[in-house]
Amino acid sequence: EAGVVQSPRYKIIEKKQPVAFWCNPISGHNTLYWYLQNLGQGPELLIRYENEEAVDDSQLPKDRFSAERLKGVDSTLKIQPAELGDSAVYLCASSRGTHSYNEQFFGPGTRLTVL
Amino acid sequence: AQSVAQPEDQVKVAEGNPLTVKCTYSVSGNPYLFWYVQYPNRGLQFLLKYITGDNLVKGSYGFEAEFNKSQTSFHLKKPSALVSDSALYFCAVRVLYSGAGSYQLTFGKGTKLSVIP
């Protein structure tokens, strides 16, 4: 089966510009996650969707970050405006079902550089 | 506080030798524990998990991990290391995040494994 697809793979923007990342999860996976991974750190959860509903967005900086998952499949994560500290890798993951013991399947990530 | 720790930033082992990557955790209740591996420019890949049952868990690519409740550890092991095992390894534990009232995975900082030919 095809894995989690993310685009773009790399993005370079200037600070204060907007940026968007796209994720297509594995077919049939109804739970989707967006993580932030800083250099030398493990991933940190930003938001989790069950189908089209954001069930956990408590760690999403809502003043500049937004996300959507229309129709419960693809998802987009947006930053507006970007700040220097947003430079990181943004990972998307998906899992079958909603139980917290289900393994997550990760995409390759989008590496964002804010200048 | 609920957390997971990987005490070693880097582990080096000779090819053919056994390897161990350490992980300790602190959670309330029964832990759900996971190991993931990350190759350069690729996403994390699931290796194995412990939910309940046998303390020795077998996973992908010949890896296994031992759950030790008294030592609150979940070390990753492999009897004979391959050069291709060189990668970044992450331990993760399910924690109850009070801000959302739901469970999340908390990841360690990762351990870079280098297998020397």
Side-chain angles (χ1 to χ4, degrees), chain B residues 1-4 25-28 93 95-96:
Chain B
Q2 302 183 91
S3 63
V4 61
Y25 66 91
S26 174
V27 298
S28 53
V93 64
V95 302
L96 180 60

Side-chain angles (χ1 to χ4, degrees), chain B residues 48-84:
Chain B
L48 50 80
K49 65 182 177 183
Y50 172 84
I51 305 300
T52 187
D54 195 346
N55 290 343
L56 185 62
V57 179
K58 294 188 182 298
S60 306
Y61 313 120
F63 284 93
E64 58 189 27
E66 186 171 10
F67 170 65
N68 188 316
K69 188 173 183 178
S70 62
Q71 298 186 6
T72 62
S73 67
F74 190 56
H75 300 333
L76 182 70
K77 300 180 180 182
K78 187 174 183 181
S80 179
L82 300 173
V83 173
S84 57

Side-chain angles (χ1 to χ4, degrees), chain A residues 61-86:
Chain A
K62 297 182 184 62
D63 57 335
R64 298 184 300 107
F65 287 64
S66 64
E68 61 182 12
R69 192 185 184 197
L70 301 177
K71 301 181 181 179
V73 182
D74 295 2
S75 178
T76 301
L77 178 69
K78 298 179 181 178
I79 308 175
Q80 183 171 9
E83 297 180 351
L84 295 176
D86 296 331

Side-chain angles (χ1 to χ4, degrees), chain A residues 9-10 35 37 40-45 48 55-59 89 91 100-109 111, chain B residues 32 34 36 38 40-46 49 51 88 90 94 97 99-110:
Chain A
R9 292 292 311 278
Y10 304 90
Y35 286 91
Q37 185 177 21
Q41 302 293 322
E44 299 172 25
L45 182 69
R48 176 169 64 95
V55 297
D56 185 353
D57 63 356
S58 55
Q59 296 176 91
V89 176
L91 296 169
S100 55
Y101 52 69
N102 291 330
E103 53 264 40
Q104 298 178 24
F105 294 81
F106 285 79
R111 182 177 298 276
Chain B
Y32 288 4
F34 302 78
Y36 285 83
Q38 187 174 35
N41 297 317
R42 296 178 66 177
L44 281 71
Q45 297 178 33
F46 169 79
K49 65 182 177 183
I51 305 300
L88 194 55
F90 290 96
R94 185 192 73 158
Y97 185 65
S102 64
Y103 288 103
Q104 299 178 2
L105 279 190
T106 291
F107 288 82
K109 292 185 176 182

